[in-house]
């Protein structure tokens, strides 16, 4: 039997190598370059014919990646792939999940529509599902979300002495509680009021739990970084221990990684989005989900 | 009767104003911004309900523009537009029109597929149709290409004393001949050998026609600028008159506009792609085509 053929869109080479190794598959060669007017050129150097094809493309800053991804999927199919799936360790367009104000584009449904049309299945890590209970509400293809919480618990248990886990807002409570339970650590949650895309106000409760412990601030995503930055500053009022900022997805818009480091934080992320802070490898979770899907 | 509602994607505001004025329509308000992870937020502030909607988006450097364009079209439809058309003064993805080498993505068909699915009709200016005889070979919607040649002839006749028109390669011969005839000027064509995306070799013939005339080098597109730059340098061997570089679409990758200016050229383009050299307005052609389509 010929194994799975894994192709990396630009920037996803390391993850593709890991996945192919875990799946007993093979990394295919995909040539990509830019024409002078900015169009993408794509060529499969490893033939997809009669192969089960997996494309790997994380979708932070998704807009300029989406056309190439759609073109690659369609071309793999034209070239005779038996199936074409997507591994998007970070899945974009999960925010705008309804028309909050008249006239808004519900981009989560629209992006899901594009990807559902192009791919046979999708695997991602902890999508930012607020109001959807599951990906199947917007994706019409089999779409599996794997959860990094167990890996994060493991990391905390192995790497932090006497941790206290801190969720930066009420939304994170359930999630932080689960990580804390597995890690065998106490936890607390901050009260966050969002004033806009980039403005956040934090209030503190149960700060007595920080006494003599290493604060580990956990969120699913560090995006603008404002929430995490405010949380780090508040926590610093109650303890002198160096805080750890832990997230599944490290986007770090506006150099917020630099700002967090300047506040003395140690930053730790999973490798869903490539960054110097990547310390937790989600490839085994993705490979397992992928195997169970097909 | 309520007139046409024209919306500009970012960067297309000036063209939208011109078109709305020419069509007796109205410029609608479309709010767009970026979430911190690079996702696009879109909101129609002017209701598309029961309106004939035109989106204006030129497609130089198309990849990061295509998702927002598709989302805007789908949203206008959801919000009750009676029809949704696209004016793309520069239309991308015309280069890769067949599989020259095994495994290549035929991006012209794939991009046309995406746009045909999203829009009811399309109007563009001089698409780079090499091997397709017309847009209808790849677009399944009514797609109209308007030709800037008459406007270019007019510009030459009005602005250049004793011009000689020069096509930078054999491909341009028919086109340059037509412009020259209408402008009442002699013409010649250079022989170009393309060595790669960005490398070009030029050979010269009939350079005696340049005597005492202003050389006007004409191409449909200045992309990497190599062809035009080589042509300007060759022409400089035969005349001391300042050359004019005239193109429909001025992409100017790799600062080739600066390089051309450094060689002493005067650059003139149409406004299909916004640039300081825009001197020829294609809006009347687009408005006319649009009126005839619907």
């Amino acid at each position: 039997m010929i194994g799975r053929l894994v192709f990396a869109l630009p920037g996803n080479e390391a993850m593709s190598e890991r996945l192919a190794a875990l799946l007993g598959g093979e990394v295919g060669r995909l040539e990509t370059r830019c024409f002078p007017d900015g169009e993408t050129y794509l060529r499969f150097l490893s033939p997809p014919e009669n192969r089960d094809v997996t494309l790997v493309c994380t979708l932070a800053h998704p807009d300029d990646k989406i056309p190439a991804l759609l073109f690659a999927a369609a071309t793999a199919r034209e070239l005779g792939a038996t199936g074409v799936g997507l591994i998007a360790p970070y899945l974009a367009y999960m925010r705008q999940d309804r028309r909050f104000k008249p006239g808004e584009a519900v981009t989560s449904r629209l992006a899901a529509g594009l990807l559902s049309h192009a791919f046979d299945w999708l695997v991602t890590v902890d999508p930012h599902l607020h109001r959807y209970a599951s990906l199947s509400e917007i994706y019409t293809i089999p779409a599996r979300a794997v959860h990094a919480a167990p890996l994060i618990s493991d990391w905390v248990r192995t790497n932090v002495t006497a941790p206290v886990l801190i969720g930066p807002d009420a939304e994170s409570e359930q999630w932080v509680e689960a990580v804390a339970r597995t890690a065998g650590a106490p936890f607390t949650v901050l009260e966050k009021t969002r004033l806009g895309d980039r403005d956040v106000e934090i209030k503190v409760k149960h700060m007595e739990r920080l006494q003599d412990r290493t604060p580990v601030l956990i969120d699913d995503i560090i995006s603008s970084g404002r929430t995490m930055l405010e949380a780090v500053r508040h926590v610093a009022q109650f303890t002198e221990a160096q805080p750890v900022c832990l997230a599944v997805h490290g986007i770090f818009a506006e150099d917020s990684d630099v700002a967090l480091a300047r506040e003395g934080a140690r930053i730790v992320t999973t490798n869903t989005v490539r960054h110097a802070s990547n310390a937790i490898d989600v490839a085994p979770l993705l490979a397992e989900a992928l195997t169970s899907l097909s």
Side-chain angles (χ1 to χ4, degrees), chain A:
Chain A
M1 188 196 134
I2 302 175
R4 196 179 289 275
L5 192 53
V6 181
F7 291 97
L9 275 290
N12 298 274
E13 292 77 10
M15 178 61 82
S16 300
E17 295 283 352
R18 288 280 297 136
L19 286 169
L22 289 161
L23 293 162
E26 179 191 344
V27 175
R29 292 199 302 141
L30 178 66
E31 181 186 353
T32 61
R33 57 189 167 87
C34 242
F35 286 110
D37 77 339
E39 293 172 16
T40 296
Y41 169 90
L42 279 171
R43 184 183 176 201
F44 285 90
L45 297 171
S46 309
E49 196 177 351
N50 295 323
R51 300 294 294 269
D52 190 359
V53 165
T54 300
L55 301 184
V56 182
C57 187
T58 202
L59 288 170
H61 299 280
D63 287 7
D64 65 353
K65 298 175 178 71
I66 287 173
L69 190 56
L70 301 178
F71 296 157
T75 302
R77 233 179 265 286
E78 286 172 15
L79 296 170
T82 54
V84 184
L86 171 62
I87 293 207
Y90 174 72
L91 185 60
Y93 285 112
M94 287 284 124
R95 278 170 180 72
Q96 186 78 35
D97 49 13
R98 67 170 69 160
R99 229 184 294 286
F100 302 101
K101 295 177 190 167
E104 283 183 343
V106 186
T107 50
S108 63
R109 281 193 185 276
L110 297 170
L114 286 177
L115 295 178
S116 292
H117 181 75
F119 290 96
D120 295 317
W121 52 262
L122 162 75
V123 176
T124 188
V125 183
D126 288 313
H128 201 65
L129 290 165
H130 270 300
R131 273 158 294 260
Y132 299 124
S134 103
L135 288 171
S136 66
E137 290 185 35
I138 47 172
Y139 280 85
T140 57
I141 52 173
R144 184 76 47 94
V146 300
H147 302 294
L151 298 181
I152 289 175
S153 290
D154 284 352
W155 188 91
V156 171
R157 211 168 35 219
T158 312
N159 293 277
V160 186
T161 313
V164 53
L165 302 199
I166 303 169
D169 58 14
E171 244 171 41
S172 64
E173 176 145 9
Q174 250 190 329
W175 200 66
V176 172
E177 187 177 0
V179 173
R181 202 171 41 238
T182 324
F187 76 96
T188 185
V189 166
L190 308 184
E191 278 175 1
K192 179 173 91 170
T193 312
R194 182 165 284 281
L195 309 170
D197 272 8
R198 291 176 166 78
D199 281 326
V200 158
E201 190 186 52
I202 302 273
K203 281 178 192 148
V204 186
K205 58 177 182 179
H206 301 307
M207 272 306 146
E208 72 284 358
R209 296 189 186 164
L210 272 71
Q211 196 115 38
D212 302 322
R213 293 198 159 256
T214 301
V216 180
L217 298 105
I218 301 193
D219 211 344
D220 61 340
I221 182 166
I222 303 179
S223 187
S224 75
R226 296 285 169 104
T227 302
M228 204 46 112
L229 207 51
E230 289 297 319
V232 164
R233 285 177 187 146
H234 277 273
V235 164
Q237 299 169 19
F238 301 87
T239 173
E240 288 189 355
Q242 185 193 26
V244 179
C245 293
L246 227 166
V248 181
H249 310 294
I251 305 284
F252 302 116
E254 300 168 21
D255 294 329
S256 47
D257 48 352
V258 177
L260 285 168
R262 204 183 294 127
E263 296 289 332
R266 175 183 180 191
I267 308 169
V268 172
T269 57
T270 81
N271 58 347
T272 60
V273 180
R274 216 165 41 154
H275 187 261
S277 62
N278 292 167
I280 300 169
D281 181 17
V282 297
L285 291 177
L286 292 168
E288 196 189 322
L290 198 154
T291 308
S292 77
L293 260 174
S294 52

